[in-house]
Amino acid sequence: MNRTHVIIAYKDLTRLQVVSNRPSEVMSSIEKLSIQGVRSFSPNSIEEIKFQTPLTLIVGTNGSGKTTIIECLKYATTGDMPPISKSNGFLTDPQFYNITTVNAMVKLHFKNLSNKLVITRNSSLSVDPTSATKKSTFKTLTKTLEDYNMITNKKITHEPSKTIAIEDILNKYIGVSKPILDYVIFAHQ
């Protein structure tokens, strides 16, 4: 099956219109991003960024979390962490808060023409206080995709299994393939 994607309009990170041979891939809009325990975002509270239409500007001083927001968008949509940090550098350092484990969460709310969706990725970073090198251990705890169909009023929760990849389901709803996400939308600045 030949799948052709042509980007028609790319105004900002909240709107992306795609022409495809599948009607579910017409338009997706990011509504809200929640972050907890990732880099400069505290593990003790959930920070929410609400995206506005037609444009959301992310401004701040160096080190305030602008790049982390973009990396969390990519992590939520693709499951990929930033290449430099991989696991340990992406989550907040537990030693900064004088604790042994940080639980982190990235949750993205978005919608397309017929569905409201929420992708949630939970992970943890633990430091062994008895180790001389303070060895850290990263774990992916859960990832779920909640799908509320606005036409049928049905809710489905997708969880990963050996036969189902959350990312494949997510790409269908977003209407953008992983290579487009990786090399066009989230191309590193």
Side-chain angles (χ1 to χ4, degrees):
M1 182 165 129
N2 185 11
R3 290 182 24 182
T4 304
H5 290 98
V6 179
I7 296 176
I8 292 178
Y10 179 62
K11 293 180 182 177
D12 57 67
L13 284 176
T14 64
R15 289 239 178 254
L16 179 66
Q17 186 169 345
V18 176
V19 171
S20 174
N21 59 348
R22 289 193 273 182
S24 66
E25 294 184 357
V26 177
M27 175 82 74
S28 292
S29 298
I30 298 171
E31 295 182 316
K32 180 171 59 173
L33 177 68
S34 304
I35 304 171
Q36 178 181 18
V38 177
R39 291 210 177 124
S40 61
F41 290 85
S42 170
N44 300 322
S45 63
I46 298 171
E47 300 292 330
E48 289 187 347
I49 298 102
K50 292 184 180 175
F51 292 85
Q52 304 297 315
T53 304
L55 179 67
T56 299
L57 293 176
I58 302 170
V59 294
T61 59
N62 288 345
S64 62
K66 300 178 302 292
T67 301
T68 302
I69 292 168
I70 302 302
E71 291 171 343
C72 284
L73 284 169
K74 182 176 183 179
Y75 177 55
T77 56
T78 66
D80 295 341
M81 292 190 180
I84 294 171
S85 65
K86 282 302 174 194
S87 56
N88 295 357
F90 187 59
L91 302 187
T92 302
D93 185 352
Q95 296 175 58
F96 183 76
Y97 287 91
N98 201 25
I99 55 178
T100 57
T101 301
V102 163
N103 291 314
M105 182 265 311
V106 175
K107 183 183 283 191
L108 179 63
H109 297 253
F110 66 99
K111 65 180 177 180
N112 62 21
L113 293 177
S114 60
N115 301 75
K116 286 190 175 192
L117 301 121
V118 179
I119 178 78
T120 306
R121 296 183 186 273
N122 293 296
S123 49
S124 71
L125 181 64
S126 298
V127 176
D128 181 359
T130 61
S131 148
T133 59
K134 304 281 186 187
K135 182 183 174 197
S136 59
T137 305
F138 172 83
K139 290 182 184 174
T140 298
L141 301 175
T142 60
K143 55 183 174 179
T144 58
L145 177 63
E146 296 173 7
D147 171 9
Y148 174 73
N149 187 305
M150 295 182 289
I151 296 168
T152 63
N153 291 326
K154 290 185 180 177
K155 181 179 176 182
I156 300 171
T157 301
H158 303 278
E159 295 186 15
S161 68
K162 291 181 181 179
T163 58
I164 298 174
I166 293 285
E167 291 74 18
D168 293 340
I169 297 168
L170 191 59
N171 289 344
K172 176 186 142 201
Y173 286 118
I174 293 174
V176 179
S177 66
K178 189 172 184 317
I180 296 293
L181 286 171
D182 285 341
Y183 301 113
V184 177
I185 297 174
F186 295 117
H188 201 272
Q189 57 276 36

